[in-house]
Amino acid sequence: MSTLLYRLGKTAFRKPGYFIIGWVLILGVVISMISINGIHISSEMKIEGTESQKVLDQLAKELPAASGGQGSVVFKAPDNERLDTPERLAAVMKAVSEVYGLKDVINPADYAAEAGSSGASADMAQAANMQQSATASPPPYGPLMVDGVPVPGVLLSSDGKVALFQFQFTIEQSAITQDVFDSVIDSVMSAQQGTNITVLPGETLKTVAIGVGSAEIIGLIIAVIVLLITLGSVVAAGLPLVTALLGVAIGVGGAFSISKFIEMPSVTSVLALMVGLAVGIDYALFIVNRQRRMIIDQRLSAQEATARAIGTSGSAVFFAGLTVIIALCGMLVIGLTFLSTMALVAAATVLINVFVALTLLPALLGLVGERICSTKAREKSTKHPKAAGHGIAHRWVKFVIKYRWITIIAIVVLLGAAATPITKMEMGIPGASSANLDTTARQGYDAISEGFGEGFNGPLILVAEPNNSSAQVTPELLGNVMKELQSQNNVAQVTPLGMTEDLAIFSLIPGTGPNDKITKDLVNELRSTESSVAKTNDVKIGVTGFTAVNIDMSAKLAQVFPIYVGIIILLSLIILLLVFRSIIVPIKATIGFLLSILATFGITTAVFQWGWLHSLFGFDTGGPLLSFMPIIVTGILYGLAMDYQVFLVSSMRESYVHGHRGPESVVHGYNQVSRVVVAAAVIMVSVFAGFIFTDDVMIKQIGFTLAVGILIDAFIIRMGLVPAIMAIFGDKAWSLPKWLDRILPNLDVEGEKLIATLHAKDHSNSKS
């Protein structure tokens, strides 16, 4: 492996034009495909196989009008005033009529006419009368009336301050284009003109935003500063940035270029951008640092140093990247399309960055040539050679080794305490209830809660289907089911939406909010075959809607999470076994990661769910953690943590291979790479932390968790726990049963065979 990469590095250095032009052509192809196909992203995340998705699929097949996306708008009067004044009623009525006139929005008048032609209108009227008799007491709201006629789809609070407009699209949420959303928003915003009405479009109408903001740019600026300090040269510091940005452009751009044919969740590009930038900069940093060290310390030419750096550090980059890719691809076993898409795009971006680091980077180093190290840097090294035993890194590792047991116990206690909040972790989809107070989504949520009840922020869609396949849905059955539903605990309102011969559809408003545990209990109770609704009417109840989808998503992901963790740990243990030819090292690495990930999730729970330090991180209210965040973060952090493991421990093994023994090999290996590992970790934390200050709470949570995870794993686990444990085991850490040693291939990650071959060649040349 090392010999192959050595030859590749030397070829790229000597013939840089071929490699640079090749990558530029690939980027050109990606840009051309984007210009032809455009960019298509979706905010919808389907959870295949769940109860809520089955109901949606059934509705799409049997009653398409009920399966389209939903929208909502809040109209709010000025303080101490009402909406139902003549001029404001006219403005609201005009806005509602314009929305119903849009081609992709269902007009209730047309729907009623269609239902009437099929004989269903009388049935629905009868059901509506039954609904009124089923309600124990009048609700604190009613239909918005204009000239004695109710405005379809609009409710007015009892105090007249808030009106809620709910409507339905003719197409699924994921298929609605931004032009349609913009048309709806333009229509409802017209109600503001001359009326002082505040119009608050619902969360489902917000724009799906992508791109890089100022906070992410600040993260890149910090990365530049760290690179300058670490490498000591503007040219050397610029190369990792150039290669990382190119890798991300091709990876993320490639995903956008095929988004016309594959549904691309909006989070996908941001996730690939996060991971791609972090690993791209880090991988190039390790190689450039190794090359400069060889030029300065060993007096090698830039060409020879580049080839050897690719042959040695390049091997570590390859296997570190492979570990990240395996951790990401482990998400495929979960069987959720949107997660698989995110994983594959992120994994492809990492793979591209590995290839860029191994091919484009040495080509760029070939263009730079000997200028990669200034004359001043070479002279400084000659006059003031680095003395082993002096420096913060050396003193730190000596301290850790001397107090190894105290270090291990302190780290375990500290991370254990940080992990305790994880026992109270709640999963869901952060939404308007946890949005910042100054956002329209949060203001609309609060207005709905105040005027109608919190349950109106998360209506449920129910489908009742007779258990007897030969039975038909009748108006009597429709009314009985609705009456029984209305009598259930925590039910605020039940409204019939439609019926066919085979099923009846209802809208149910819970008495509690979308993220409330009582709402979850209601959904589970309604689905139960033992519920009073199901048994009394001999029907099967299906529940869907945004709230039910979130409940199912959290349950599904919690169920598969242990399986996912087991798979990536098993596969990564195999890779680490092959790389280090050791049993102790892979086990130690895995235990250290589990400590760091538990502490990471504990801290994230305290911050985003309990609201600790919320003002520091730019949000106002705590809420549930993103349900698919643990799986995404675990995969990424495991892969990145193993990056540091590979770079740090491979240096210790290299020291062991070259004659250092016991704690001496730990100290020597630590001294060689600790500075660059710390720099790489700071860069990763900076890149991830840049996403903490975005407006999207989902991206904010992922960025925070990744930043904290890297911080803990790099600085506490790899810089503290690893050298302490390695010192305890000493040379035994590299022992391997003889039978296993015989069957395992020698990958020569440290480049031992390569260096031996090169030394023999140099010796032969010197004799001749």
Side-chain angles (χ1 to χ4, degrees):
M1 181 75 181
S2 296
T3 304
L4 175 64
L5 292 178
Y6 171 84
R7 293 171 180 167
L8 177 62
K10 179 169 283 190
T11 302
F13 188 97
R14 294 172 60 187
K15 300 178 180 179
Y18 293 102
F19 293 88
I20 295 173
I21 292 173
W23 282 108
V24 170
L25 287 175
I26 293 173
L27 180 62
V29 170
V30 169
I31 294 174
S32 299
M33 291 179 64
I34 291 177
S35 64
I36 294 172
N37 298 326
I39 297 177
H40 306 270
I41 58 174
S42 167
S43 59
E44 189 174 54
M45 293 171 285
K46 291 185 178 180
I47 308 296
E48 296 86 350
T50 59
E51 290 299 317
S52 53
Q53 188 60 47
K54 290 177 182 176
V55 175
L56 283 175
D57 294 340
Q58 182 183 21
L59 287 175
K61 180 180 179 182
E62 299 192 25
L63 200 63
S67 65
Q70 295 177 324
S72 66
V73 178
V74 173
F75 299 97
K76 190 176 180 180
D79 292 341
N80 302 319
E81 297 186 32
R82 297 179 64 92
L83 273 174
D84 49 359
T85 62
E87 63 276 7
R88 288 175 182 152
L89 284 176
V92 172
M93 184 64 186
K94 178 176 179 293
V96 170
S97 299
E98 287 184 10
V99 172
Y100 282 146
L102 299 174
K103 67 173 183 177
D104 293 310
V105 176
I106 292 179
N107 189 330
D110 297 339
Y111 186 71
E114 183 180 340
S117 65
S118 63
S121 58
D123 296 340
M124 297 300 293
Q126 181 180 344
N129 292 331
M130 291 183 180
Q131 177 198 7
Q132 293 177 358
S133 63
T135 304
S137 58
Y141 49 81
L144 179 68
M145 307 295 290
V146 176
D147 297 331
V149 179
V151 180
V154 185
L155 293 176
L156 181 68
S157 62
S158 58
D159 59 10
K161 295 180 179 179
V162 181
L164 173 61
F165 173 34
Q166 294 176 312
F167 55 93
Q168 196 156 1
F169 293 99
T170 59
I171 50 182
E172 292 185 10
Q173 195 79 28
S174 60
I176 304 174
T177 64
Q178 191 56 48
D179 291 341
V180 175
F181 287 146
D182 291 341
S183 298
V184 171
I185 292 173
D186 290 343
S187 297
V188 297
M189 284 299 179
S190 64
Q192 294 183 136
Q193 299 173 5
T195 62
N196 292 325
I197 294 175
T198 300
V199 179
L200 304 170
E203 195 176 16
T204 56
L205 301 177
K206 72 177 183 178
T207 304
V208 178
I210 58 174
V212 179
S214 58
E216 293 89 331
I217 294 174
I218 292 173
L220 284 177
I221 292 173
I222 295 174
V224 171
I225 295 172
V226 174
L227 287 170
L228 284 171
I229 294 173
T230 305
L231 299 176
S233 163
V234 174
V235 175
L239 292 179
L241 282 175
V242 170
T243 54
L245 290 173
L246 179 70
V248 166
I250 294 175
V252 177
F256 283 151
S257 70
I258 60 173
S259 60
K260 181 179 180 180
F261 313 102
I262 299 174
E263 187 170 296
M264 197 70 62
S266 56
V267 183
T268 300
S269 59
V270 182
L271 181 64
L273 180 63
M274 283 185 189
V275 181
L277 276 178
V279 302
I281 293 174
D282 277 7
Y283 293 164
L285 169 62
F286 282 114
I287 292 173
V288 173
N289 181 72
R290 185 65 171 265
Q291 184 233 26
R292 283 170 52 84
R293 220 173 69 202
M294 288 179 175
I295 292 174
I296 294 173
D297 297 342
Q298 301 178 26
R299 305 294 186 269
L300 295 176
S301 67
Q303 176 177 306
E304 184 62 22
T306 300
R308 293 192 184 191
I310 295 295
T312 53
S313 290
S315 295
V317 164
F318 178 82
F319 286 105
L322 185 60
T323 307
V324 178
I325 291 168
I326 286 177
L328 288 168
C329 290
M331 295 184 199
L332 300 180
V333 303
I334 297 171
L336 300 180
T337 302
F338 81 93
L339 268 184
S340 297
T341 302
M342 284 192 282
L344 289 173
V345 171
T349 304
V350 172
L351 182 63
I352 290 169
N353 272 289
V354 170
F355 287 149
V356 167
L358 297 179
T359 58
L360 179 63
L361 180 59
L364 294 175
L365 288 170
L367 287 183
V368 175
E370 299 295 339
R371 291 172 295 165
I372 194 68
C373 286
S374 65
T375 304
K376 183 179 179 181
R378 298 171 197 250
E379 291 176 351
K380 183 179 179 181
S381 175
T382 303
K383 294 178 181 179
H384 305 286
K386 294 179 181 178
H390 299 282
I392 297 175
H394 182 81
R395 291 194 294 271
W396 169 254
V397 73
K398 294 288 285 187
F399 173 84
V400 168
I401 290 175
K402 182 178 179 180
Y403 300 102
R404 63 195 73 169
W405 285 109
I406 295 176
T407 300
I408 293 171
I409 293 171
I411 289 174
V412 170
V413 171
L414 175 65
L415 297 184
T420 51
I422 202 173
T423 59
K424 304 294 184 182
M425 186 168 63
E426 297 177 3
M427 309 307 296
I429 298 293
S433 62
S434 57
N436 282 349
L437 297 174
D438 60 351
T439 61
T440 57
R442 176 60 182 272
Q443 291 168 2
Y445 185 96
D446 291 341
I448 291 172
S449 299
E450 181 182 350
F452 307 97
E454 200 170 1
F456 272 84
N457 288 291
L460 302 174
I461 304 297
L462 271 60
V463 171
E465 190 176 8
N467 286 321
N468 187 347
S469 58
S470 61
Q472 292 186 349
V473 174
T474 63
E476 183 180 3
L477 176 62
L478 184 75
N480 289 338
V481 171
M482 186 165 54
K483 184 176 181 180
E484 191 70 35
L485 288 171
Q486 190 71 62
S487 67
Q488 301 298 303
N489 292 329
N490 197 39
V491 173
Q493 176 183 299
V494 182
T495 306
L497 294 182
M499 58 181 287
T500 68
E501 293 181 351
D502 301 319
L503 52 83
I505 308 166
F506 307 91
S507 171
L508 185 148
I509 306 297
T512 50
N515 295 317
D516 200 299
K517 184 180 182 300
I518 301 177
T519 304
K520 178 181 177 181
D521 294 338
L522 173 63
V523 171
N524 292 332
E525 172 63 22
L526 292 172
R527 286 172 171 169
S528 173
T529 56
E530 299 300 316
S531 69
S532 60
V533 180
K535 295 179 71 174
T536 302
N537 298 281
D538 193 27
V539 294
K540 177 175 65 177
I541 301 293
V543 185
T544 190
F546 188 71
T547 300
V549 168
N550 290 346
I551 292 171
D552 289 347
M553 179 187 295
S554 299
K556 171 80 171 178
L557 294 174
Q559 180 183 5
V560 300
F561 183 64
I563 300 173
Y564 168 67
V565 172
I567 289 174
I568 65 169
I569 286 178
L570 178 62
L571 292 175
S572 295
L573 282 174
I574 294 173
I575 288 182
L576 294 177
L577 175 65
L578 292 171
V579 170
F580 294 116
R581 302 182 67 78
S582 164
I583 293 178
I584 292 174
V585 170
I587 294 175
K588 168 194 63 63
T590 302
I591 292 174
F593 170 74
L594 291 176
L595 281 173
S596 67
I597 198 69
L598 290 174
T600 298
F601 288 145
I603 294 171
T604 303
T605 300
V607 171
F608 283 96
Q609 185 175 309
W610 296 355
W612 290 10
L613 302 175
H614 63 88
S615 58
L616 179 64
F617 297 109
F619 66 97
D620 299 325
T621 308
L625 301 186
L626 183 61
S627 55
F628 57 84
M629 186 264 290
I631 285 182
I632 289 177
V633 167
T634 298
I636 295 173
L637 283 183
Y638 192 85
L640 298 180
M642 293 308 107
D643 278 2
Y644 299 129
Q645 177 74 11
V646 168
F647 290 120
L648 182 62
V649 180
S650 63
S651 180
M652 295 177 182
R653 177 167 174 78
E654 185 177 353
S655 297
Y656 171 79
V657 168
H658 289 89
H660 298 279
R661 291 293 178 264
E664 184 186 355
S665 66
V666 177
V667 173
H668 185 268
Y670 187 95
N671 286 337
Q672 293 296 310
V673 298
S674 60
R675 185 168 180 262
V676 74
V677 167
V678 167
V682 171
I683 289 171
M684 277 203 181
V685 170
S686 301
V687 171
F688 292 144
F691 291 88
I692 296 175
F693 301 98
T694 59
D695 294 330
D696 192 311
V697 69
M698 293 192 293
I699 303 303
K700 186 186 291 284
Q701 286 189 8
I702 293 175
F704 176 86
T705 311
L706 288 173
V708 170
I710 293 296
L711 202 63
I712 292 174
D713 196 273
F715 291 97
I716 297 179
I717 299 297
R718 308 304 154 191
M719 296 288 105
L721 189 65
V722 167
I725 294 179
M726 294 296 290
I728 288 175
F729 285 100
D731 294 343
K732 293 180 180 178
W734 311 114
S735 61
L736 198 65
K738 291 183 179 179
W739 64 269
L740 188 57
D741 185 54
R742 286 193 299 267
I743 63 175
L744 287 180
N746 191 343
L747 301 176
D748 191 27
V749 176
E750 299 82 18
E752 179 187 359
K753 293 181 179 178
L754 170 64
I755 299 301
T757 301
L758 294 175
H759 283 170
K761 183 179 179 181
D762 292 340
H763 182 68
S764 175
N765 290 337
S766 63
K767 278 187 174 183
S768 60

